[in-house]
Amino acid sequence: MAGINTNVASLFAQNNLSKSGAALSTAIARLSSGLRVNSAKDDAAGLAISEKFRAQIGGFEVAKRNSNDGISSLEVAEGALGSVTDSLQRMRELAVQASTGTLTSADRDQLTEEYDALKSNVSSIIQNTNFNGIKLLTTTALDLDVQIGANSTDSLIVKLGDIEGAFNTFSTTTSSTTPNDANTTTLTLNDLKSTTANNLGGVVDGTAVLAADGDSSTFDLDGDGRADLRATRTGDGTATVNFLDRNGNTIGDAVTGVNTGAGSNDIGNIVLSGAGGLGVPNTLATGGTTSVKVGALSIQLVSNGTNFTDANYLSGAAIDGSDGTKARAAITKLDTFLNEVSKQRSVLGAGINRLDSVVANLDTSSTSLSAARGRIIDADFAKETANLTRAQILQQAGTSVLAQANQIPSGVLSLLR
């Protein structure tokens, strides 16, 4: 039938031209983006799977950074403990040297200077070793929980031991009897007698101690040749007293109102905290400890930044004295502490090795998942180039055929002549 209202040939040509146009657009989109899946309509199931892979890959990359941060933190801790070990080994050498009977007390005092400096260095390292503001060696044992995977259950815990606690055990022991009372707020020294005077108001070689207002004197309570206290008599017949460290420096604020009367032993009770207590110096305003020798004891005063809250007594981790007894005890304590440090270093080393293995595994997993995702969403350029060429030819042919189909109705005019 010859008709002009419905040009079926033109409709066929238009339909095929539309399809080839869509194919051309798809090929151009894939070639320009490099992706086979540019939107969900391209491959709905493939897109869903690829997004799951994408989440895992992103998680793996962050987990690698976490693991490397964990390695760095453990290396910081292990490096610090390496320095601690070096100091402890030298301290042990000094203790062995101080143990021999061929040394005098003066010789041991010289060894003690280096020993105490090394001990202070160990304490400083323990207090100041941190990673990103996290202290790695302080009192409370730390479980370093490293997120090592893309899922919520993927974590690795490295247990950091209580190195500061081990150091405190090495350095001090807390007495439950005098000279420290039960509530640790008062330092009781009644049982200690000075080698120069039994009390502040006593007489030494016929001369009154602190006899007049303004008199000042230092006191060697344990006869080691170092001053342990400095007392100054005030106008009301009492005295202000400061503790002194082994270098003669004052510890805390002066204790006031100490009785200087004959026979007085008022120095026997020193309040550590609260009103009238031994104030904290500026150097301990953020907390910490300081040590002073009082009588036969070496005392570590503990600061909370406002008050001295406790008094610990230095145990055998010292090498001074008239013979090698303390030095031999120090060797034993050093060996115990060295063992704790070595155990912690082995834990850190094992943790570093585990995290190294984790990073290597994450690299492999990330590579494999990336390849799998690429097979889903990446464009095959050889295939898409062929599709582009095919669609372009079909577009050109379709346009030409459509022009010819549109001329078919004009043939009806010949029937009207």
Side-chain angles (χ1 to χ4, degrees):
M1 182 184 74
I4 62 171
N5 287 327
T6 304
N7 189 340
V8 177
S10 176
L11 293 177
F12 275 124
Q14 292 176 46
N15 185 39
N16 289 324
L17 187 62
S18 176
K19 289 179 181 180
S20 63
L24 180 62
S25 297
T26 299
I28 291 173
R30 289 175 176 177
L31 289 171
S32 61
S33 67
L35 297 175
R36 186 182 71 87
V37 181
N38 288 286
S39 64
K41 69 181 180 60
D42 293 333
D43 185 351
L47 179 67
I49 295 171
S50 71
E51 286 303 305
K52 288 176 61 177
F53 286 166
R54 181 183 176 189
Q56 291 289 303
I57 294 166
F60 286 156
E61 293 302 313
V62 175
K64 281 197 293 184
R65 293 199 295 271
N66 290 344
S67 299
N68 283 316
D69 286 344
I71 290 171
S72 297
S73 66
L74 296 183
E75 287 176 340
V76 167
E78 201 280 326
L81 289 183
S83 297
V84 168
T85 299
D86 291 341
S87 294
L88 293 178
Q89 292 289 1
R90 177 56 182 161
M91 289 168 67
R92 195 181 190 283
E93 292 174 4
L94 293 170
V96 172
Q97 186 176 0
S99 297
T100 184
T102 58
L103 298 182
T104 65
S105 296
D107 294 332
R108 290 190 181 88
D109 283 345
Q110 291 178 347
L111 296 176
T112 298
E113 294 297 329
E114 182 180 354
Y115 184 94
D116 287 349
L118 289 168
K119 186 177 176 183
S120 297
N121 182 56
V122 170
S123 177
S124 177
I125 291 172
I126 291 172
Q127 290 295 327
N128 296 319
T129 299
N130 72 85
F131 182 83
N132 193 33
I134 302 171
K135 291 192 173 184
L136 301 175
L137 304 177
T138 49
T139 300
T140 303
L142 174 66
D143 288 345
L144 189 63
D145 189 350
V146 182
Q147 181 69 20
I148 60 170
N151 303 312
S152 60
T153 56
D154 297 333
S155 67
L156 173 64
I157 297 176
V158 180
K159 291 185 177 294
L160 304 184
D162 187 1
I163 293 298
E164 187 181 20
F167 176 73
N168 288 337
T169 300
F170 158 72
S171 300
T172 64
T173 180
T174 302
S175 172
S176 60
T177 59
T178 57
N180 190 23
D181 77 347
N183 61 16
T184 70
T185 58
T186 303
L187 191 62
T188 305
L189 305 175
N190 285 331
D191 295 336
L192 302 180
K193 302 296 182 182
S194 169
T195 58
T196 57
N198 286 341
N199 51 70
L200 294 179
V203 176
V204 179
D205 295 332
T207 302
V209 179
L210 304 183
D213 293 342
D215 283 354
S216 180
S217 181
T218 57
F219 295 84
D220 175 11
L221 298 183
D222 55 356
D224 65 354
R226 296 188 182 92
D228 302 315
L229 298 173
R230 178 184 292 116
T232 303
R233 180 162 171 159
T234 54
D236 57 2
T238 60
T240 60
V241 177
N242 268 112
F243 286 119
L244 303 176
D245 65 18
R246 67 180 298 109
N247 296 315
N249 301 315
T250 59
I251 299 294
D253 297 331
V255 178
T256 61
V258 177
N259 188 359
T260 60
S264 169
N265 209 13
D266 196 24
I267 190 63
N269 293 288
I270 300 297
V271 178
L272 294 181
S273 61
L278 186 62
V280 174
N282 290 337
T283 54
L284 293 174
T286 58
T289 63
T290 190
S291 298
V292 60
K293 296 196 68 163
V294 180
L297 299 174
S298 294
I299 298 175
Q300 181 191 69
L301 299 175
V302 181
S303 164
N304 65 1
T306 303
N307 293 302
F308 286 114
T309 58
D310 205 352
N312 298 323
Y313 302 100
L314 299 182
S315 57
I319 62 174
D320 57 354
S322 59
D323 57 31
T325 302
K326 286 186 177 181
R328 293 188 185 98
I331 293 173
T332 300
K333 294 181 72 66
L334 279 163
D335 286 341
T336 300
F337 187 36
L338 270 167
N339 184 54
E340 290 299 319
V341 172
S342 297
K343 282 167 45 179
Q344 183 58 52
R345 291 185 72 183
S346 68
V347 170
L348 294 173
I352 291 170
N353 289 336
R354 290 183 66 186
L355 288 172
D356 277 335
S357 177
V358 165
V359 171
N361 182 62
L362 287 171
D363 278 331
T364 301
S365 298
S366 179
T367 300
S368 298
L369 274 182
S370 295
R373 181 171 183 263
R375 284 190 290 270
I376 295 174
I377 67 168
D378 288 349
D380 183 340
F381 267 64
K383 179 180 178 181
E384 296 305 330
T385 301
N387 289 338
L388 175 65
T389 302
R390 175 176 176 273
Q392 286 175 331
I393 294 173
L394 287 175
Q395 275 281 286
Q396 293 171 7
T399 302
S400 176
V401 169
L402 179 60
Q404 295 179 33
N406 287 337
Q407 294 299 319
I408 292 176
S410 65
V412 176
L413 294 175
S414 62
L415 299 174
L416 300 174
R417 291 177 184 167

